[in-house]
Every structure is written in structure tokens, then in C-alpha cells.
Amino acid sequence: MLLLALYFISFLAVDYISKHINGYSQKRYFQIIACFILLFVFFGMRGLSVLNDTAHYYAHLYNHLRYQSYFDESIFTPDPHDRFEYGYLVWIHFITKYIWCDPYSIILISAFIVTVANLMLVKKHTDRIALTIFLMLSTLITEYGLLRQSYAICLSYLAMNLLMERKFIKYYILIAIAYMFHHSVIIMALFPVFSFVELNKDNVIRTFIATIIISVCIFPIISMLGFGESAYYEGNQDREAAPIAAMINAAMYIFVAYAGYYLHKKFKSDLPQPLIIWAVICGLCLSIINISFLSFNRLALYFIPYITIFFIYTYESCTAQNPNNKKIKTILLIIILRSSEHTSELQSPCNT
């Protein structure tokens, strides 16, 4: 546990060291390289008992590699009885046939892609790369474990960039590709609606009111949509214990988002693009619905990283205008402490 704590703190150390490096580009390159090493080595070279789904995906690929026929057949003709999505099956077949014939290859290559995608996302919106990655660690731990969905999430980052440029056709092409890795990305097919919704107080209030109504009526809504016999529906109906983890997650996300909003209102900080703010709102809304129906956490994962980006964006704007304001730094310290506690409340990535 001590080594794990030191690992998490190392991102803060990278952030601190970068402040003493001369040159804007040098600061950013140092953070990117250091964070890449920390993330890729730790998660890419993890043991099979680290993160819940690691052994699951390893065993799935191992079973395929036992048969010579797997290497002889085309990568575009996967087993029709396999429960995984077509895009993922083609991808792992391509990796093992043309890159590295070992079941661990999917763990290593997936970790590489997730690491690069998240660093690209963060560096696009902030200069405090290491600090942002530290605050995102609880989400990243989940991403590294959910291999199929992690590909869909990474593609959604690229799609979001296209959406900001109003390239709707290219956006939907990427979402369609992501859908072949994990069907949960269908939530992103609805997100372009917010490109045409004005970001104002009334619309935000209406969105949260709709969220509360959906949360209360979630079971009848899902049943009406024809998913009343799904395992997720039955599992949530049979749940007896209170969803403490979902409550903690939602509370943390609301806290971080509110901290960013407070900095904006109190110190007149700049705000990111409206679509980023709508992504934050969607992340909060889906996290709230997740309290009633736990499977919504899968959908929230596409938006949760933007909550941290929103906070860091407003924080950087405030510090640029008020470099010596102790109140702003205190807010950051509280967020760091809460994020550390939140990460420790999750299943440790060193546990089975």
C-alpha cells in the first residue's frame, strides 16, 4: 500500500519538478514523457491479477491462440459465437497474427493506447498535465481494466475534437467504429444535440430536472424500452444494499465540478468551450442516474474525464490572473486531498 501511495504521489512530484524547468515546451515535454512512463510501465506491465478484467481478457485470447486454425483464417472472420464485439475480435486477431503472438499482447498494447489517448486529451486542454493525470487516476484505473470499452473511450476523445470543429459526419464515423468495440458508446451518438443547445442557466436546470425524473423512473423507462429482461435490469432490481460506491463517485464528481464553477464565479476565470461544459454536465447527470441503476457508470465514463479538465482549466485561468491568491491554492489542495481519498476508496489496482 505504501508503494502504491508513492506511485500516486509521483505524479504530483512530476508536476512540482516541471515548475522549475525553464521553457514552456520543455515543461510540457517533461510532464508528457514522465507521465507516459509512469502510466505505461505500471499498467502495461501489470500482472494478470491486477485489475478485475485483466485475467478475463488474457484467458479469452489464450483460448483462441491454442488452435492453429485461428492463425490460418482471415482476421475479418471471427468466431460468430464469440460474445465480444466484431471490432474488438478483428483487432485482437490482427495483433496476434501480425504483431505479437502472445495473449499478453492485448494487455500491453491496450495500455499503450489508453496512455497515449489520455495524454493527448489532457495536453490539448491544459499545461498542468501531471496534475490533471493525478486527479484523473480513479477514472484511469477503470479505463485500463475495461479493455473493450477503453478503445471506445479513446475513439470518443478523437470524435469530440471533430465535434468541436462541427465535423459531424467524421464524428459519427468514429463513433460507428467505436461502437464495434463497445456498444456503450451509443450514448455519444446523442451528444451532438448539445451543439445546438444554448449553454445557459435555464437549460442546465432543465437538464438536471430531467435527470432527477429519469433517476426516479429508471426501471419503468428501461422496461418500456424493451430491456426489462436483461441481466443488468434484473441485477439492479434484486440489489438490496445501498449503492455506496456510486454515491461516493457522484458526490466526488459534483464536488470537483462545483469547485471549477466556484472559481469561475468568484474570480471571473475563463471557461472552456461549451461542449466541454456540456460533457461535464452529462457526466454528472449519468453519475446521478447511476445511483439508481448502476450500469449507467459505463455511460458516464465517456464524460467523466472532462470534469477534471473543466476544473483544471478554470484553476489555471484563476492562477494566471491571481498568482498569489491563497484561497485558489487552498481549493486545489482540497481537491487533491479529496481525489486521493477517492482513489484509495476504489479497489486497489494491486488487488485481485
Side-chain angles (χ1 to χ4, degrees):
M1 184 59 70
L2 176 60
L3 291 176
L4 191 60
L6 291 175
Y7 172 74
F8 292 148
I9 293 172
S10 64
F11 290 94
L12 296 178
V14 171
D15 178 70
Y16 176 79
I17 294 171
S18 68
K19 294 179 181 179
H20 298 83
I21 297 176
N22 295 324
Y24 174 78
S25 297
Q26 287 78 359
K27 291 176 185 286
R28 287 172 61 85
Y29 288 145
F30 170 74
Q31 292 181 81
I32 291 171
I33 294 171
C35 287
F36 175 84
I37 294 171
L38 287 170
L39 291 172
F40 179 64
V41 171
F42 187 79
F43 290 104
M45 301 180 183
R46 63 184 185 269
L48 296 182
S49 62
V50 179
L51 299 182
N52 290 338
D53 287 351
T54 303
H56 175 67
Y57 284 106
Y58 180 95
H60 171 263
L61 188 52
Y62 176 82
N63 288 333
H64 281 297
L65 295 178
R66 293 165 56 195
Y67 304 99
Q68 181 60 38
S69 59
Y70 186 71
F71 299 95
D72 296 336
E73 62 190 16
S74 169
I75 64 172
F76 298 105
T77 56
D79 183 354
H81 303 293
D82 202 306
R83 65 191 182 281
F84 290 157
E85 291 84 353
Y86 178 78
Y88 176 77
L89 295 175
V90 171
W91 174 241
I92 62 174
H93 202 163
F94 171 81
I95 289 175
T96 51
K97 190 171 183 177
Y98 298 111
I99 299 178
W100 184 20
C101 177
D102 189 286
Y104 196 84
S105 60
I106 189 59
I107 310 299
L108 190 67
I109 293 176
S110 296
F112 177 84
I113 292 174
V114 170
T115 300
V116 172
N118 279 278
L119 286 174
M120 288 178 63
L121 172 71
V122 170
K123 78 180 186 65
K124 179 179 174 63
H125 298 284
T126 178
D127 293 328
R128 301 291 295 273
I129 297 167
L131 175 61
T132 306
I133 291 295
F134 171 80
L135 296 179
M136 288 173 58
L137 277 175
S138 61
T139 303
L140 286 174
I141 289 172
T142 304
E143 272 191 47
Y144 282 107
L146 303 175
L147 265 65
R148 287 178 296 135
Q149 188 173 1
S150 68
Y151 287 114
I153 291 173
C154 292
L155 288 170
S156 76
Y157 293 159
L158 298 177
M160 182 69 83
N161 294 336
L162 294 172
L163 186 60
M164 291 179 187
E165 299 172 3
R166 304 187 72 82
K167 297 179 179 178
F168 296 103
I169 295 178
K170 292 182 178 179
Y171 173 87
Y172 278 110
I173 290 174
L174 272 181
I175 295 303
I177 295 172
Y179 184 79
M180 291 191 290
F181 283 89
H182 203 272
H183 294 337
S184 62
V185 78
I186 194 67
I187 190 67
M188 296 299 295
L190 306 175
F191 187 70
V193 170
F194 292 103
S195 298
F196 306 98
V197 178
E198 184 180 354
L199 182 63
N200 56 44
K201 183 178 179 181
D202 289 341
N203 286 334
V204 172
I205 291 174
R206 291 189 187 104
T207 302
F208 279 108
I209 289 175
T211 297
I212 299 302
I213 294 173
I214 292 172
S215 297
V216 173
C217 306
I218 188 62
F219 286 99
I221 290 173
I222 291 179
S223 180
M224 185 174 59
L225 292 173
F227 297 103
E229 297 182 359
S230 71
Y232 293 113
Y233 183 90
E234 295 175 358
N236 276 277
Q237 270 202 325
D238 296 338
R239 191 182 70 231
E240 297 180 358
I244 301 300
M247 293 177 181
I248 292 173
N249 286 339
M252 182 62 198
Y253 301 145
I254 292 170
F255 179 70
V256 174
Y258 178 77
Y261 175 75
Y262 174 83
L263 290 175
H264 165 66
K265 297 296 289 186
K266 180 71 175 179
F267 301 99
K268 309 300 180 185
S269 70
D270 296 333
L271 289 174
Q273 293 188 37
L275 279 176
I276 296 293
I277 300 175
W278 277 121
V280 170
I281 294 169
C282 286
L284 296 178
C285 291
L286 290 169
S287 296
I288 292 170
I289 297 173
N290 186 58
I291 296 174
S292 299
F293 198 91
L294 294 180
S295 304
F296 272 74
N297 182 56
R298 288 276 191 166
L299 305 180
L301 285 173
Y302 293 95
F303 304 103
I304 295 304
Y306 295 102
I307 296 176
T308 301
I309 287 171
F310 169 72
F311 169 75
I312 291 294
Y313 192 99
T314 56
Y315 172 77
E316 282 189 295
S317 177
C318 287
T319 53
Q321 301 171 29
N322 309 274
N324 298 317
N325 191 299
K326 294 183 179 180
K327 192 170 187 178
I328 297 174
K329 295 180 179 180
T330 300
I331 291 174
L332 175 63
L333 179 60
I334 293 172
I335 293 295
I336 289 174
L337 293 175
R338 287 295 299 122
S339 296
S340 301
E341 183 180 353
H342 182 228
T343 302
S344 67
E345 286 167 350
L346 296 174
Q347 177 185 0
S348 169
C350 288
N351 291 339
T352 58

